[in-house]
Amino acid sequence: MEASAVETRVFVEVRRRLQSALLIVGEPKEGGMPMDVSIMPSLLQMKTPTGCTEVRLPAEVRLVPSSCRGLQYVAGDGLHLRLQAHTEFSTKLISIFNQSLQAQECCTFYCQSCGDVIIRDRKLLRILPLPSENWGALIGEWCCHPDPFANKPLHPRENDCFIGDSFFLVNIRNDLWQEPKANTKVICNRCKVMLGEIMSSETTKFYMTEIIIQPSERSFPIIPRSQFVQSVIAQCLVELSSARSTFRFTIQDQDGKVYILLWLLNSDSVVIESLSSDHIKKFPLLEDTLKADFSSAWNAIKVLYQPCLRSGDEKLASSWESDISVHSLTLPAATCLELLLILSRSNAILPPSLRQMNSFQVAFLKM
């Protein structure tokens, strides 16, 4: 984005599947000034007597200027309009959970927050997905005889890695100096972040939001914390919604306390926004935002969310927990709060008319 004396807020949401775009052009800071808006296939240009703002679209997105419709002015937002958009759409989702995990390969487990090595040079011979949490209840529908899997928990062997909804199960007994105790938290020695839990003497659970698994010949990848959490949660929600046709989720900690209710609306958005410096300075804790050049484009999922931190939220949370169509995701308590901060930041920088839907708040999570 190029800007001189004028700062104009621009927000674009492109829907890949629908091949459509919502464009919102905010008023210049100097209110009451005339502004010319030019829409080109790969460029948005806003001119005022004191300057010009340009927003370039990503290469895979092209607008159709002649298709503009629904032009209206919304107080507090600015100019709203919809138009057709041509996008390159791929239905294949590359999972960040599996792309670095290949059987027969030596891998190193790192703490994502600080890069400390948790497991070094572990050769993974089997990388297997775990069944859903309620698989035991379905055995009666599958078998005409007593449950052959009763009281037989799934324990990984030394060279196994089992993949759950939001966690890995591995056997790290040989990596510990002392006998592991069940129900003990796994804490990073360097930064003291909770990485997972010891489930038994044979099984340790690591949360996907806390661990990076890399082939041993590769170095530790430095990824901003908020960017990593968003990407993991977003892809987790997309995969679960696709595999199980569920779109509502509760985010809870390891003790079962619900922090957030999430409702996945769509997973095919490309969000393009130009942010004024005021928006960025409000959230200095989100380090990836500080690197932005005030204009960015990213793939995202769109969600509705409801925090459940007040006592009055317990009734709604309880109704969701008792609904069989709602899926629970368990994360460390600190990560639940991190996710809530990320959602709140996303909501705060949306145009005001897009921030609420019924009683829920709206947010985007970057893929």
Side-chain angles (χ1 to χ4, degrees):
M1 182 187 76
E2 298 175 1
S4 53
V6 63
E7 282 190 7
T8 303
R9 173 76 189 281
V10 178
F11 175 88
V12 185
E13 181 191 1
V14 179
R15 292 292 305 278
R16 292 180 183 271
R17 292 190 180 93
L18 300 178
Q19 297 285 289
S20 67
L22 168 65
L23 169 62
I24 300 177
V25 180
E27 295 184 56
K29 279 192 171 182
E30 299 82 359
M33 296 175 52
M35 180 170 62
D36 292 330
V37 180
S38 298
I39 301 175
M40 290 159 270
S42 60
L43 180 69
L44 304 173
Q45 188 179 75
M46 285 64 64
K47 290 183 179 179
T48 69
T50 60
C52 175
T53 297
E54 290 187 350
V55 176
R56 297 188 180 277
L57 303 179
E60 67 271 16
V61 176
R62 287 293 179 268
L63 301 179
V64 181
S66 60
S67 66
C68 291
R69 65 188 188 279
L71 180 64
Q72 63 174 326
Y73 174 80
V74 177
D77 280 6
L79 192 65
H80 283 228
L81 59 93
R82 293 186 179 274
L83 64 165
Q84 187 178 353
H86 295 309
T87 62
E88 297 177 6
F89 175 62
S90 173
T91 57
K92 184 177 180 181
L93 178 66
I94 299 176
S95 171
I96 61 170
F97 308 150
N98 302 324
Q99 63 181 356
S100 64
L101 296 180
Q102 299 294 329
Q104 310 296 324
E105 191 171 39
C106 282
C107 294
T108 297
F109 290 57
Y110 297 93
C111 169
Q112 193 278 325
S113 296
C114 70
D116 194 29
V117 175
I118 308 304
I119 303 176
R120 188 185 300 275
D121 297 335
R122 172 66 66 87
K123 189 170 186 178
L124 300 176
L125 299 179
R126 295 195 306 169
I127 302 170
L128 302 173
L130 288 167
S132 65
E133 295 179 355
N134 301 319
W135 70 276
L138 300 176
I139 291 293
E141 304 295 329
W142 299 340
C143 302
C144 58
H145 48 76
D147 182 1
F149 304 105
N151 302 318
K152 292 183 179 179
L154 299 174
H155 291 305
R157 300 173 183 172
E158 181 178 351
N159 299 109
D160 291 344
C161 180
F162 295 167
I163 302 176
D165 294 340
S166 59
F167 58 87
F168 304 106
L169 292 184
V170 294
N171 188 324
I172 63 170
R173 185 170 184 174
N174 294 337
D175 296 83
L176 301 176
W177 290 100
Q178 58 186 5
E179 185 74 16
K181 297 179 180 179
N183 302 318
T184 302
K185 294 180 181 179
V186 179
I187 306 296
C188 176
N189 290 328
R190 179 187 292 173
C191 67
K192 307 306 179 185
V193 164
M194 178 184 172
L195 305 175
E197 304 171 73
I198 295 176
M199 311 301 292
S200 70
S201 61
E202 301 177 354
T203 305
T204 299
K205 174 195 288 186
F206 287 117
Y207 293 106
M208 289 179 178
T209 53
E210 316 306 318
I211 292 289
I212 288 183
I213 306 176
Q214 285 281 99
S216 295
E217 66 269 14
R218 298 185 191 174
S219 58
F220 171 72
I222 300 176
I223 305 173
R225 176 64 182 165
S226 59
Q227 178 183 327
F228 182 79
V229 171
Q230 286 186 75
S231 184
V232 170
I233 298 300
Q235 292 201 32
C236 183
L237 297 181
V238 170
E239 291 191 355
L240 286 171
S241 65
S242 175
R244 304 181 186 178
S245 297
T246 182
F247 301 93
R248 292 190 295 160
F249 304 87
T250 59
I251 307 298
Q252 63 182 30
D253 65 13
Q254 63 277 8
D255 297 323
K257 178 183 177 181
V258 176
Y259 284 75
I260 312 169
L261 306 180
L262 274 181
W263 198 324
L264 177 62
L265 289 184
N266 65 267
S267 57
D268 65 336
S269 291
V270 178
V271 178
I272 304 158
E273 59 181 346
S274 64
L275 300 178
S276 70
S277 56
D278 290 342
H279 285 89
I280 291 180
K281 290 176 181 176
K282 286 180 182 178
F283 297 92
L285 295 179
L286 299 172
E287 64 278 12
D288 57 318
T289 305
L290 297 178
K291 300 178 182 178
D293 60 354
F294 306 153
S295 181
S296 59
W298 27 273
N299 295 318
I301 65 170
K302 188 175 184 178
V303 299
L304 303 180
Y305 76 96
Q306 176 68 53
C308 292
L309 301 180
R310 301 173 302 179
S311 58
D313 300 323
E314 294 176 355
K315 185 176 180 180
L316 178 59
S318 178
S319 67
W320 274 49
E321 288 181 288
S322 61
D323 191 328
I324 61 173
S325 67
V326 176
H327 188 81
S328 296
L329 286 179
T330 301
L331 303 171
T335 304
C336 293
L337 294 174
E338 279 185 274
L339 178 59
L340 185 55
L341 176 62
I342 291 167
L343 292 167
S344 299
R345 182 260 172 184
S346 173
N347 176 265
I349 63 175
L350 288 176
S353 68
L354 302 185
R355 295 176 188 172
Q356 297 281 338
M357 188 176 292
N358 296 328
S359 61
F360 283 79
Q361 300 176 68
V362 181
F364 290 90
L365 291 176
K366 298 179 184 180
M367 298 287 281

